[in-house]
Amino acid sequence: MSIRTLDDLLAEGVSGRRVLVRADLNVPLDKQTGDITDDGRIRAVLPTLGALVEAGAKVVVCSHLGRPKGAPDPQFSLSPVAGRLGELLGAPVHFATDTVGESARSTVAGLADGQVALLENLRFNAGETSKDEAERGAFADQLAAFGDAYVDDAFGAVHRKHASVFDVPARLPHVAGRLVLREVEVLSKLTGDPERPYVVVLGGSKVSDKLAVIEALLPTVDRLLIGGGMCFTFLKAQGLEVGTSLLEKDMVDTCRNLLERADGKILLPVDVVVADAFAPDAAHDTVRVDGIPSHRLGLDVGPETVAGFSAALSQAKTIFWNGPMGVFEMPAFAAGTRGIAEAITKADAFSVVGGGDSAAAVRALGLDESSFGHISTGGGASLEYLEGKTLPGIAALEN
């Protein structure tokens, strides 16, 4: 790819210049307290922001959070993120209470060299996500007015054709930040010529969310291990009873077809943890997959499955993992995800954790992040990259 990088921009000199940075600060917030429950995405952008601050740039950070409907919504404010970002940078972050309005204009105008501002949630403006190019372009014009150069370090958003990701780089000199560059380098290894055996672990709730990546990966992987809620649609395709487990009935025939075409590459659970209800204190047991009671639902893979999956992972030289094996947020149903994560860390392999819930699980379970080769910040973006799709944000940087 012919993409200019942050180092190219720094070499030109940024002291006294305004640099607009698109970050992915879409962190989870506690619904009761509003506190940040996982600051991984904030930490991921620190290398880029720190380099710009050290070089004396006036840094203007923008991001989305959640899915507000094109208007201000207090529950999706980036205000708590500004506080945490300031703590991690070791200096106050000036927070604009709007995106491109009076507060944003005065906040940016007041920046001294080496200071950082954070604009309010981009999605509080309908122009950010609009499918109307004129509306999106008008918003991009307003954002671009805050920068002399643009850095995209929001890999988690590069698969979106949004104003801050796709349209702003057409209006400013643009480069890839350190996080985006690292993500592309890592994922290129997986789509190029990965060292074999190449083993992929997919979890999460829905087959429909992962169908395209399964189709893309089947010809290239050596083993595909499937857990999480999506495994029950595959088990149903084998004619098994899945009780009240998560099931996509309209995907059963598709799963049956995938299993027939997979030539034995797909490995499914042999045992699961079933419960009386979707609740942390629900009565639960481990059963074989051919013995799931009709009135119970599966919430995790069982220990035999973990052992079988771990054996396959132990042989791997390249591993990609996207999606938890069970409802890891509930301790009773976290053992499957923990077991697979630990097996990945023990393998003598280059391992990539594909963002989203998998990355959250690594941190929530207290696992050592440094024992994985790379933890992606973009679940959807990493999957679309592996599918071979053109990502609008990357295409915009190439132009």
Side-chain angles (χ1 to χ4, degrees):
M1 293 187 307
S2 55
I3 292 180
R4 296 179 73 244
T5 70
L6 180 67
D7 287 339
D8 294 325
L9 181 63
L10 293 172
E12 295 167 1
V14 294
S15 181
R17 297 174 67 193
R18 299 168 307 152
V19 179
L20 182 65
V21 179
R22 176 52 160 106
D24 179 10
L25 305 177
N26 184 28
V27 294
L29 301 175
D30 185 289
K31 289 181 180 176
Q32 272 72 47
T33 65
D35 294 335
I36 297 167
T37 58
D38 179 1
D39 66 1
R41 283 179 170 158
I42 304 175
R43 292 177 179 275
V45 77
L46 293 179
T48 288
L49 298 184
L52 288 166
V53 167
E54 189 176 338
K58 299 174 180 180
V59 185
V60 183
V61 184
C62 60
S63 177
H64 72 285
L65 192 153
R67 297 192 176 185
K69 302 188 187 316
D73 185 338
Q75 69 175 317
F76 296 115
S77 174
L78 281 168
S79 178
V81 174
R84 182 60 180 147
L85 181 58
E87 291 173 4
L88 293 170
L89 285 171
V93 168
H94 304 269
F95 183 63
T97 56
D98 56 30
T99 305
V100 291
E102 180 54 42
S103 176
R105 289 191 293 272
S106 61
T107 300
V108 173
L111 284 178
D113 296 359
Q115 290 189 333
V116 179
L118 175 62
L119 307 180
E120 183 56 283
N121 194 334
L122 291 166
R123 292 185 183 175
F124 284 1
N125 190 304
E128 167 67 359
T129 60
S130 177
K131 290 183 168 53
D132 181 279
E133 293 197 8
E135 183 180 19
R136 214 174 56 236
F139 182 52
D141 288 339
Q142 292 176 291
L143 278 176
F146 293 142
D148 302 307
Y150 169 86
V151 178
D152 189 344
D153 215 29
F155 184 75
V158 294
H159 60 316
R160 305 293 188 194
K161 194 175 182 179
H162 290 170
S164 64
V165 175
F166 183 74
D167 300 279
V168 171
R171 289 157 168 79
L172 290 172
H174 49 269
V175 302
R178 294 199 166 142
L179 173 62
V180 164
L181 197 64
R182 171 67 176 156
E183 296 272 12
V184 171
E185 286 173 349
V186 166
L187 293 172
S188 295
K189 284 187 180 181
L190 301 184
T191 55
D193 186 19
E195 190 176 355
R196 296 185 179 279
Y198 176 22
V199 178
V200 171
V201 187
L202 292 180
S205 57
K206 294 183 177 180
V207 178
S208 52
D209 290 343
K210 306 281 170 72
L211 178 61
V213 78
I214 293 172
E215 293 275 9
L217 288 172
L218 259 186
T220 62
V221 302
D222 296 294
R223 300 304 296 269
L224 179 57
L225 319 180
I226 293 180
M230 63 189 289
C231 79
F232 296 103
T233 304
F234 279 93
L235 294 173
K236 189 71 172 179
Q238 291 185 319
L240 297 174
E241 168 68 61
V242 297
T244 59
S245 305
L246 190 64
L247 176 65
E248 290 183 279
K249 292 180 180 178
D250 59 341
M251 296 296 294
V252 171
D253 287 342
T254 300
C255 289
R256 188 178 297 116
N257 178 262
L258 285 169
L259 290 169
E260 290 169 356
R261 289 162 42 209
D263 196 26
K265 288 183 179 180
I266 293 179
L267 200 60
L268 295 174
V270 294
D271 62 342
V272 292
V273 180
V274 294
D276 291 341
F278 187 87
D281 58 352
H284 57 277
D285 301 289
T286 301
V287 300
R288 302 282 300 178
V289 292
D290 59 359
I292 299 174
S294 60
H295 64 287
R296 305 186 91 185
L297 74 161
L299 295 180
D300 196 12
V301 297
E304 283 191 48
T305 298
V306 171
F309 283 14
S310 297
L313 290 164
S314 71
Q315 304 298 313
K317 290 297 180 183
T318 305
I319 297 170
F320 176 72
W321 170 35
N322 181 282
M325 296 294 99
V327 187
F328 72 90
E329 298 90 344
M330 300 178 188
F333 311 111
T337 301
R338 177 183 293 279
I340 295 307
E342 290 176 345
I344 292 171
T345 65
K346 292 172 185 173
D348 181 20
F350 175 66
S351 59
V352 179
V353 180
D357 288 340
S358 310
V362 167
R363 290 187 278 269
L365 296 173
L367 300 169
D368 182 4
E369 294 183 48
S370 66
S371 44
F372 298 91
H374 178 69
I375 298 181
S376 177
T377 55
S382 61
L383 289 179
E384 290 195 17
Y385 192 98
L386 294 183
E387 289 166 28
K389 287 185 177 179
T390 297
L391 305 183
I394 300 299
L397 293 175
E398 289 179 309
N399 293 334

